[in-house]
Amino acid sequence: MMMMMKKGGHPLLRGSGRSEGDEISKYSHGFTAAEMHSLASVCEAILPPLPSDSLDAKDYDRPTKAVNLFSEISGSQAPIPDQVAELLVKRAVTEGKILVRVILLLLSTRLGTLLLCGSLCLSQKLPFISNFSCLSLEKRERTLQMWFKNRYVTPVRLAFLYIKVLCLYVVFSQVNENGENPTWEAIGYHVHNDEDPSQVPRKRPLEKGVLETIRETDSSLVHSLANKGIRATLDSKQNLLKMECDVLVVGSGCGGGVAAAVLACSGQKVIVLEKGGYFAAADYSSLEGPSTEQLYEAGGLLSSTDGGMFILAGSTVGGGSAVNWSASIKTPKSMLREWAEDYKIPLFGSPEYLSAMDTVCERIGVTDSCAEEGFQNQVLRKGCQTLGLKVDYVPRNSSENHYCGDCGYGCRKGDKKGTDRTWLVDAVDHGAVILTGCKAERFILEKNKRGSLRAKKCRGVIAKTSSNNITQMLQIEAKVTISACGALSTPPLMISSGLKNHNIGRNLHLHPVVIAWGYFPESNTEIKGKIYEGGIMTSIHDVEGTDSDVRAIIETPALGPASFSGICPWESGLDIKKRMVKYARTAHLIVLVKDLGSGEVKSERRISYELDASDRENLRVGLRQALRILVAAGAVEVGTHRSDGQRLKCKGINEKELEEFLDTVNVVGGPMSITENWIGLTSAHQMGSCRMGIDDKAGAVDLNGESWEAEGLFVCDASVLPTAVGVNPMITIQSTAYCLSKIIADRVLTKSTLP
């Protein structure tokens, strides 16, 4: 029996709708029949059909029938391989697509299979060599295990990782028209979208200011813009729809939402561009697959080019604030001191910044405690208390009674106060217009007048809508243009517009995260609930060094079944199914560090990143502490996400045995590293890629957030931060944007010449 869901929410977030203009057609991945045959064979080895008695339902307190059905599910079942191919073509970097397809093509031939599988494909019968799909399931599984461990075939390992992540993601996120998935009952998962409809806010707070271009056509757009108070004219020769405003803000997240509010409230005519869609509380479905597809950058499947870092970034009205985990932590005093003194940025040492943090916290309704904690946070708190470690509540931009584990897919209760429910409401109430489904292609830059401090002047942007029914490009001219599309998107936009400052796209900090897990059977009644229940992040522990400096912080993540399966190590088909039936009671603790290492992002979705040696050591120290906490909380088994499935059975172990295990914990390499056992990293915070600096050698923008190269072009997002923050950065981003937009507002209002 599958988990039933009441039909509710926006069709796109239920997985049952398509954008207007999209054709409902067959799969468009373009894979050949030979490639698909190989792909299906690999998917079957990743998640093989097993005898119905392979998993004992009593061991996991799950319904026998559901567990038996789950045992028999295969990764080769239609339409899983086709959906994997679609996602690969749509989301992978170019070289990743090529790599996977070449390997699949090789596996479709006997010679290629011999090259990649060695003696496992040999037999004593003609034709003596089998291609991959003709191998027994056991031999295919052994081949995948060999690829995963062999440090000399890292490209093959990376290709397998791509397929493994996508295959399991599809299996555990796909839903039918009723929001059902055949695996969920067996793994103990339930979608929380069956609230009393009267408890779900029906109001769309931004309705009067939002224009959803996906619903428009060439003929209707001018009229719709006029209804929002924007006069647009068509230049048929250039196929441009031209409009003007005082301030143009590109992006609607933590930076853009605040900037739009401050500037609209100062009396400016503001237009906000957002490439994502607009969804309100009543639209959210809490379904992992459709929600991440619509609400996250790259559909929630973004990684560094080497596959070593999995990255989450919001891409909807409200940006990250619409889908983050509510943590609202003020900028640490040590960071303010470092930025003000070492980086010589007076803003961060000013009373204005401290006041801005208070203003931000008040506007987004930050509370300091939690009335009832969910499963994972109970684990973190209990483990710390058992060990005598300090554990604090995480301030959140929601009420103290907010008990919601689905905020990563949008808050159906409307309790979490992202920019879509706060700052953007203020902006719209003061006349701002938000154009959704509208992506800035480049800034309009022209040569500046002689004698100006900057060689260029920004006049606005050229943008493109995502509607197939709009053929015109948009030209939006403004006195001031603000890039607030985040640390991953602002640099590519500036570079594609012709800006050359060497800091643009560099110094990218990601707050790298490693994860420890612990299994708590249902028989442990002291810690109640499931992994997906309760506030996502309500407890925090600082891992301190010998001189009381914070080396890492330990918090808890949101992990739906698909994300859980994607980051789990793969050892065998049976092992991954055993891990999944433990899903609901496997607690995860994330270890986050303020990274000294950094990366680059100079073109869209092409992210490189390298840890500093001290980052690896701090992650290792934090990971050891997280494992101790899980053991102290009562886990019967703990482990890391190292590729070999590193774990420890906890029953009856003594302190010496625990320490011996902890001594084996390390943070090394990635899938492309020449190491047998490696560990993947994750990130939900991106900062520093267009940092402020006292001159154009130190930063991409000046101390007011203005480009060193283009007058009138400002940056108001996380990319201006000089370094990583070391804590969840929402308050820091909003406070910085508040201060910078106040400066802009004063100068626009007084019509003074911008420096």
Side-chain angles (χ1 to χ4, degrees), residues 129-311:
I129 303 172
S130 300
N131 62 23
F132 187 78
S133 61
C134 293
L135 298 180
S136 68
L137 187 53
E138 179 190 1
K139 285 189 174 182
R140 278 181 277 147
E141 184 176 75
R142 286 169 59 192
T143 298
L144 300 190
Q145 291 167 338
M146 176 186 70
W147 291 346
F148 218 38
K149 293 179 179 179
N150 194 326
R151 59 182 179 173
Y152 301 111
V153 290
T154 54
V156 180
R157 184 161 72 183
L158 181 60
F160 167 63
L161 182 63
Y162 268 118
I163 298 172
K164 171 257 180 183
V165 169
L166 294 179
C167 174
L168 296 177
Y169 188 87
V170 168
V171 168
F172 294 103
S173 69
Q174 64 180 343
V175 292
N176 62 19
E177 64 276 7
N178 294 317
E180 302 166 343
N181 180 292
T183 68
W184 288 350
E185 187 174 13
I187 66 176
Y189 182 59
H190 174 69
V191 176
H192 286 111
N193 56 5
D194 51 1
E195 305 99 332
D196 179 349
S198 66
Q199 301 301 309
V200 178
R202 311 305 298 178
K203 184 180 178 182
R204 294 169 63 81
L206 302 177
E207 188 67 33
K208 69 179 180 181
V210 166
L211 197 163
E212 299 179 87
T213 63
I214 196 69
R215 302 179 184 276
E216 301 294 332
T217 64
D218 281 335
S219 58
S220 70
L221 185 55
V222 172
H223 180 69
S224 296
L225 286 166
N227 287 340
K228 300 292 185 184
I230 300 174
R231 182 175 177 271
T233 58
L234 177 62
D235 182 338
S236 55
K237 288 185 179 180
Q238 300 184 69
N239 198 32
L240 285 175
L241 192 61
K242 298 181 177 181
M243 60 198 85
E244 296 180 356
C245 61
D246 295 323
V247 179
L248 175 64
V249 181
V250 183
S252 64
C254 288
V258 172
V262 170
L263 291 157
C265 291
S266 73
Q268 308 307 305
K269 181 61 180 177
V270 175
I271 293 178
V272 179
L273 294 188
E274 171 55 56
K275 70 178 179 181
Y278 173 48
F279 305 101
D283 297 321
Y284 297 128
S285 68
S286 298
L287 293 171
E288 182 180 14
S291 297
T292 53
E293 169 69 25
Q294 295 297 322
L295 303 177
Y296 285 84
E297 189 69 41
L301 295 170
L302 182 64
S303 72
S304 57
T305 51
D306 65 358
M309 176 79 77
F310 177 67
I311 300 167

Side-chain angles (χ1 to χ4, degrees), residues 401-720:
N401 295 314
H402 188 45
Y403 191 82
C404 171
D406 297 325
C407 279
Y409 315 132
C411 182
R412 281 179 57 81
K413 300 177 186 297
D415 194 332
K416 185 179 73 172
K417 298 176 180 65
T419 62
D420 54 320
R421 298 190 63 82
T422 52
W423 298 105
L424 289 171
V425 176
D426 298 342
V428 164
D429 285 346
H430 287 81
V433 175
I434 304 169
L435 304 182
T436 69
C438 196
K439 182 176 181 293
E441 296 290 313
R442 62 178 175 85
F443 296 117
I444 304 170
L445 302 179
E446 60 183 24
K447 190 174 181 180
N448 210 351
K449 58 188 177 184
R450 186 174 298 177
S452 299
L453 293 176
R454 289 162 171 80
K456 298 179 180 180
K457 182 177 179 63
C458 183
R459 290 178 41 235
V461 303
I462 299 295
K464 182 180 181 180
T465 74
S466 56
S467 171
N468 291 335
N469 297 317
I470 297 177
T471 60
Q472 304 146 354
M473 299 289 283
L474 307 185
Q475 178 176 299
I476 308 171
E477 296 192 8
K479 298 175 186 176
V480 168
T481 302
I482 297 174
S483 184
C485 40
L488 298 182
S489 296
T490 282
L493 180 57
M494 296 180 79
I495 291 170
S496 67
S497 302
L499 298 180
K500 307 291 187 183
N501 183 286
H502 76 285
N503 289 291
I504 299 174
R506 299 178 65 191
N507 315 301
L508 175 66
H509 295 280
L510 296 176
H511 278 171
V513 163
V514 290
I515 304 177
W517 59 267
Y519 177 55
F520 296 78
E522 299 279 357
S523 57
N524 184 335
T525 57
E526 186 178 349
I527 297 177
K528 304 182 185 302
K530 313 287 187 187
I531 184 178
Y532 52 87
E533 295 175 337
I536 297 170
M537 188 175 282
T538 60
S539 292
I540 183 172
H541 167 63
D542 291 343
V543 182
E544 296 183 346
T546 53
D547 53 357
S548 297
D549 62 315
V550 177
R551 302 190 65 173
I553 60 175
I554 297 177
E555 300 172 309
T556 59
L559 282 175
S563 301
F564 178 100
S565 68
I567 64 174
C568 271
W570 184 91
E571 296 178 78
S572 68
L574 176 60
D575 178 71
I576 195 65
K577 287 192 172 182
K578 284 183 175 181
R579 286 178 182 266
M580 289 310 300
V581 292
K582 295 178 180 178
Y583 159 76
R585 294 283 294 182
T586 301
H588 284 72
L589 301 182
I590 60 174
V591 178
L592 179 154
V593 300
K594 174 186 177 291
D595 45 330
L596 295 180
S598 64
E600 290 190 357
V601 55
K602 295 194 173 184
S603 57
E604 286 189 40
R605 298 181 184 176
R606 294 193 62 83
I607 303 159
S608 61
Y609 183 80
E610 188 170 344
L611 284 175
D612 183 84
S614 64
D615 299 333
R616 291 192 185 278
E617 178 59 17
N618 287 336
L619 286 168
R620 186 189 71 85
V621 170
L623 192 55
R624 286 166 56 94
Q625 184 83 312
L627 289 162
R628 287 192 189 95
I629 290 169
L630 289 162
V631 173
V636 300
E637 186 179 23
V638 298
T640 70
H641 284 163
R642 205 169 71 182
S643 60
D644 62 344
Q646 182 182 43
R647 66 182 92 187
L648 173 70
K649 299 282 187 181
C650 301
K651 186 176 180 180
I653 64 166
N654 56 38
E655 185 64 25
K656 180 183 177 183
E657 291 169 323
L658 175 59
E659 286 302 315
E660 287 175 350
F661 171 73
L662 294 177
D663 286 343
T664 68
V665 171
N666 53 19
V667 179
V668 294
M672 288 296 287
S673 62
I674 309 177
T675 55
E676 181 175 334
N677 299 319
W678 48 272
I679 195 163
L681 305 171
T682 58
S683 166
H685 307 150
Q686 303 88 37
M687 303 145 284
S689 54
C690 280
R691 68 181 179 187
M692 285 185 192
I694 57 173
D695 55 37
D696 61 357
K697 294 180 177 60
V701 298
D702 69 12
L703 303 186
N704 297 325
E706 188 174 17
S707 165
W708 286 109
E709 301 170 83
E711 179 182 318
L713 174 59
F714 291 79
V715 178
C716 282
D717 59 27
S719 58
V720 303

Side-chain angles (χ1 to χ4, degrees), residues 336-354 692-694 702-704 722 739 743:
L336 294 178
R337 186 165 54 252
E338 178 182 332
W339 292 345
E341 297 176 4
D342 297 350
Y343 288 86
K344 298 179 174 56
I345 303 175
L347 170 64
F348 296 111
S350 69
E352 287 80 9
Y353 186 83
L354 297 178
M692 285 185 192
I694 57 173
D702 69 12
L703 303 186
N704 297 325
C739 292
I743 293 170

